[in-house]
């Protein structure tokens, strides 16, 4: 109750602080004072009077390409006389330009890389975009590497990322909708879909979620993802982040929706199923037998990473009968010098592994690799010699850590790492019953999750037999002629299988 009252008072005070006079002053000095006042008298504000024209330029020099300013604006209008804003508009060769009489729009344009052009006595001004290009060039994907297929990745420029998508998909039905988010730092967000394929209800739902966001600013697409996903309290992501334009275009052709944020090199795609987090784009570029083997390997690695160490703890604490007799003797000898119970031993080693992995990730590349390898060997050997852990647990923990790296998606890989700890604790207190309880809890939780209203466990729950052809296994591409039911596409088929058979 007190929080709601405080929030209401905040909104009232914020509403009172808005200046009701929002029209552009016709006088040059008044415009200068208002422009500087709105931008808090920032040091990068510059004004340029074009001699003999009655025109004044207002801009932020930190956002402007000064060469373009002189070439495309000043050189075009100097030593000329203009009677109206329309005459100036006709003279300018800048591609992106418009006019307005709203001061808020003028300020927003200035901080977006536009130069403001005012003619003395006119109630309207022109804003022309000549922003400087400060982004990095296109490069290979760093986090989602693949051997076969395109190597290019998104960068932090929204226009560049959209042009990459346009390059892959030359369909006139490709729809790009721009939305502005943020009250303090306005960020451009693009909602992308193929109009003839994507489900319109999903498009409307995602658009509504984005427009309802009321926040100071969005600096990265990962922040936006947490604000628009179905259940932000769940540890499992319901939408995927990717840096690969080929993967995004493949999903667009399936009927999925894509969201790009200006300033972020990651794109959001939805709806997503749980299995798609363990699928790589390279699976589509290799033979179906190899792709199926790799997908099965990743699913086995998922189970191994989460439950292998917990199985060790449960077996040594409660269930000695499941250990083969030939292994029981060397296992007992290995643990003879360890003074801790299996649960503390396992948690200690898992903590050390995560500590090494996190420190190696934060250090420079060459130093991080050295710390990871040398640190793992030294600490592992020293722990066994000191009697803190057994040789067998070192092997088990190393296998579990190695298995977690097979997950192609970074976010899901982090979740696999986190889930090991509660499962180990449950195994230490209740043995195999605790492991089964943890497994059932995870399964029930996943059954309740959805991605843009679509269950995340599709195509297995609810069962969609047509989508099993490209799930844990991947059948030949000639069998996958239909788009996944998960996206509820307007057009169900990628191609006509009967027509393709006749041509073959």
């Amino acid at each position: 109750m007190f929080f709601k009252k405080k929030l209401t008072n905040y909104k009232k005070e914020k509403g009172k602080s808005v200046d009701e006079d929002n029209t552009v002053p016709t006088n040059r000095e008044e415009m200068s004072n208002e422009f500087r006042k709105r931008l808090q008298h920032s040091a990068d504000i510059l004004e340029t009077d074009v001699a003999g024209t009655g025109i004044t330029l207002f801009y932020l020099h930190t956002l402007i390409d000064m060469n373009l300013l002189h070439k495309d604006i000043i050189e075009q209008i100097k030593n000329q006389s203009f009677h109206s804003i329309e005459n100036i508009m006709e003279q300018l060769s800048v591609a992106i330009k418009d006019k307005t009489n709203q001061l808020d729009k003028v300020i927003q344009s200035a901080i977006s890389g536009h130069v403001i052009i005012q003619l003395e006595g006119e109630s309207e001004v022109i804003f022309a975009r000549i922003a400087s290009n400060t982004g990095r060039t296109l490069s290979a994907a760093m986090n989602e590497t693949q051997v076969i297929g395109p190597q290019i990745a998104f960068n932090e420029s929204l226009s560049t990322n959209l042009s990459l998508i346009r390059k892959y998909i030359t369909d006139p039905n490709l729809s790009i909708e721009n939305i502005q988010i943020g009250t303090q730092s306005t960020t451009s967000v693009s909602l992308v879909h193929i109009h003839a394929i994507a489900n319109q209800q999903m498009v409307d739902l995602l658009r509504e979620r984005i427009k309802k966001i009321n926040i100071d600013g969005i600096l990265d697409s990962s922040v936006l993802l947490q604000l628009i996903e179905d259940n932000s309290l769940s540890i499992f992501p319901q939408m995927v982040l990717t840096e690969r334009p080929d993967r995004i275009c493949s999903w667009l052709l399936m009927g999925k929706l894509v969201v790009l944020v200006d300033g972020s090199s990651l794109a959001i795609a939805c709806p997503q199923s749980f299995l798609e987090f363990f699928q790589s784009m390279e699976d589509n570029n290799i033979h179906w037998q190899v792709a199926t083997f790799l997908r099965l390997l990743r699913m086995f690695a998922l189970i191994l990473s989460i439950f292998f160490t917990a199985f060790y703890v449960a077996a040594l604490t409660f269930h000695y009968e499941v250990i083969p007799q030939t292994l029981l003797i060397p296992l007992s000898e290995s643990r003879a010098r360890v003074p801790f119970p299996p649960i503390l031993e396992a948690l200690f080693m898992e903590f050390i592994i995560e500590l090494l992995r996190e420190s190696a990730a934060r250090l420079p590349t060459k130093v991080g690799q050295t710390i990871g390898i040398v640190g793992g060997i030294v600490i592992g050997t020293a722990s066994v010699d000191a009697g803190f852990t057994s040789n067998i647990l070192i092997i088990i923990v190393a296998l579990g850590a190695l298995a977690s790296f097979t997950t192609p998606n970074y976010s899901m890989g982090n979740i696999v790492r986190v889930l090991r700890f509660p499962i180990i604790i449950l195994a230490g207190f209740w043995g195999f019953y605790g492991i089964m309880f943890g497994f059932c809890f995870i399964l029930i939780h996943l059954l309740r999750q959805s991605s843009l209203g679509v269950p995340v466990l599709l195509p297995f729950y609810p069962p969609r037999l047509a989508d099993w052809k490209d799930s844990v296994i991947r059948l030949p591409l000639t069998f996958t002629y239909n788009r996944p039911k998960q996206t509820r596409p307007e057009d169900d088929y990628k191609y006509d299988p009967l027509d393709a058979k006749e041509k073959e």
Side-chain angles (χ1 to χ4, degrees):
M1 180 180 67
F2 294 107
F3 173 76
K4 291 176 67 176
K5 184 177 180 181
K6 184 178 180 181
L7 187 61
T8 303
N9 293 335
Y10 165 75
K11 290 182 178 180
K12 290 180 179 179
E13 292 175 2
K14 191 171 183 180
K16 290 179 181 179
S17 64
V18 177
D19 189 1
E20 293 180 357
D21 188 9
N22 192 38
T23 57
V24 173
T26 57
N27 182 269
R28 185 255 184 200
E29 292 184 1
E30 292 180 2
M31 176 63 180
S32 176
N33 293 334
E34 196 65 32
F35 189 78
R36 292 181 176 275
K37 178 183 176 183
R38 293 287 183 107
L39 292 173
Q40 307 302 317
H41 299 277
S42 180
D44 58 347
I45 297 176
L46 286 183
E47 301 176 20
T48 302
D49 290 327
V50 184
T53 62
I55 295 175
T56 305
L57 308 180
F58 302 89
Y59 53 92
L60 300 174
H61 73 83
T62 51
L63 301 177
I64 293 297
D65 189 326
M66 300 302 292
N67 292 327
L68 292 178
L69 176 65
H70 287 277
K71 177 184 176 182
D72 294 342
I73 295 183
I74 296 180
E75 292 293 332
Q76 301 285 336
I77 62 177
K78 70 177 183 179
N79 300 325
Q80 297 188 42
S81 59
F82 298 97
H83 302 287
S84 65
I85 288 294
E86 285 74 15
N87 297 140
I88 303 176
M89 289 276 288
E90 294 173 359
Q91 189 69 26
L92 294 177
S93 60
V94 181
I96 303 177
K97 57 188 175 182
D98 202 350
K99 59 182 180 179
T100 183
N101 64 348
Q102 298 297 310
L103 196 56
D104 285 345
K105 194 169 184 179
V106 168
I107 301 302
Q108 190 59 50
S109 301
I111 61 180
S112 300
H114 292 72
V115 60
I116 311 303
I117 305 172
Q118 184 188 38
L119 180 63
E120 182 72 22
E122 290 286 334
S123 60
E124 290 185 318
V125 296
I126 300 172
F127 55 95
R129 182 173 176 80
I130 51 171
S132 59
N133 296 319
T134 56
R136 61 184 174 96
T137 58
L138 295 174
S139 60
M142 300 297 294
N143 299 319
E144 299 177 66
T145 58
Q146 65 182 23
V147 178
I148 302 176
Q151 304 298 325
I152 199 168
F154 287 130
N155 65 7
E156 286 75 19
S157 172
L158 179 61
S159 59
T160 303
N161 296 340
L162 291 174
S163 67
L164 285 174
I165 295 177
R166 283 285 188 189
K167 181 180 178 181
Y168 279 101
I169 302 179
T170 58
D171 187 349
N173 287 314
L174 181 67
S175 173
I176 300 175
E177 179 180 350
N178 290 326
I179 304 173
Q180 302 295 323
I181 298 179
T183 56
Q184 305 298 328
S185 176
T186 304
T187 304
S188 296
V189 175
S190 292
L191 173 60
V192 186
H193 67 281
I194 299 179
H195 181 70
I197 300 176
N199 184 280
Q200 191 58 43
Q201 290 183 348
M202 289 187 177
V203 175
D204 296 338
L205 176 60
L206 185 57
R207 183 191 299 115
E208 182 182 1
R209 289 185 184 181
I210 295 174
K211 288 186 175 181
K212 279 186 175 180
I213 295 174
N214 186 13
I215 194 172
D216 287 349
I218 299 290
L219 301 182
D220 191 74
S221 54
S222 57
V223 178
L224 178 63
L225 182 144
Q226 299 176 59
L227 296 173
I228 62 176
E229 60 185 355
D230 294 41
N231 182 9
S232 59
L233 300 179
S234 174
I235 189 174
F236 292 99
Q238 298 104 51
M239 301 178 183
V240 72
L241 290 169
T242 181
E243 62 178 346
R244 301 197 63 89
D246 57 330
R247 196 175 192 188
I248 285 296
C249 293
S250 174
W251 283 335
L252 284 171
L253 292 172
M254 292 181 185
K256 295 181 184 290
L257 314 182
V258 172
V259 179
L260 296 102
V261 178
D262 192 16
S264 176
S265 61
L266 297 173
I268 304 172
C270 58
Q272 291 292 326
S273 67
F274 179 76
L275 291 178
E276 286 179 308
F277 287 95
F278 300 92
Q279 297 174 1
S280 172
M281 186 60 197
E282 197 172 17
D283 295 346
N284 297 326
N285 302 331
I286 57 180
H287 285 289
W288 67 274
Q289 300 93 335
V290 181
T292 299
F293 169 76
L294 292 177
R295 289 185 180 183
L296 291 173
L297 180 64
R298 294 186 197 117
M299 298 309 297
F300 174 76
L302 169 67
I303 298 172
L304 186 72
S305 179
I306 296 177
F307 297 105
F308 197 20
T309 308
F311 183 88
Y312 168 86
V313 172
L316 288 186
T317 307
F318 298 102
H319 310 285
Y320 277 100
E321 65 276 4
V322 303
I323 304 174
Q325 189 173 2
T326 54
L327 184 61
L328 189 58
I329 296 175
L331 186 59
S332 301
E333 293 175 352
S334 177
R335 276 197 45 83
R337 298 180 58 228
V338 180
F340 307 112
I343 181 174
L344 294 181
E345 178 192 11
L347 289 175
F348 172 75
M349 286 309 304
E350 291 286 356
F351 177 76
I352 292 297
I353 289 291
E354 294 302 324
L355 198 62
L356 285 171
R357 178 157 42 186
E358 188 66 18
S359 60
R362 304 304 167 199
L363 289 171
T365 306
K366 296 181 179 179
V367 180
Q369 292 176 353
T370 305
I371 290 294
I373 297 172
V374 177
I377 295 173
V378 172
I379 293 177
T381 305
S383 299
V384 174
D385 293 340
F388 280 99
T389 185
S390 62
N391 291 321
I392 295 179
L393 182 61
I394 292 288
I395 298 173
I396 292 174
V397 171
L399 284 175
L402 193 63
S404 67
F405 287 115
T406 62
T407 305
N409 184 268
Y410 176 77
S411 300
M412 187 59 72
N414 287 337
I415 292 167
V416 171
R417 291 163 54 186
V418 172
L419 288 178
R420 288 207 299 266
F421 289 93
I423 298 297
I424 290 172
I425 294 173
L426 289 172
F429 282 101
W430 293 293
F432 289 160
Y433 297 103
I435 295 177
M436 185 54 63
F437 175 81
F439 172 76
C440 292
F441 183 87
I442 294 172
L443 181 60
I444 293 172
H445 178 73
L446 287 174
L447 288 170
R448 292 168 56 89
Q449 301 310 305
S450 62
S451 175
L452 212 62
V454 179
V456 299
L457 286 186
L458 278 172
F460 299 106
Y461 176 81
R464 297 290 184 268
L465 298 180
D467 292 348
W468 286 19
K469 295 178 290 186
D470 190 15
S471 56
V472 176
I473 62 173
R474 205 217 85 185
L475 294 183
L477 294 178
T478 52
F479 287 81
T480 57
Y481 50 81
N482 58 300
R483 293 188 173 89
K485 302 295 183 183
Q486 167 201 34
T487 58
R488 304 168 189 164
E490 301 290 343
D491 184 0
D492 290 330
Y493 295 97
K494 301 177 184 177
Y495 62 89
D496 186 350
L498 297 178
D499 183 53
K501 187 66 176 177
E502 290 176 2
K503 290 182 178 180
E504 183 181 354

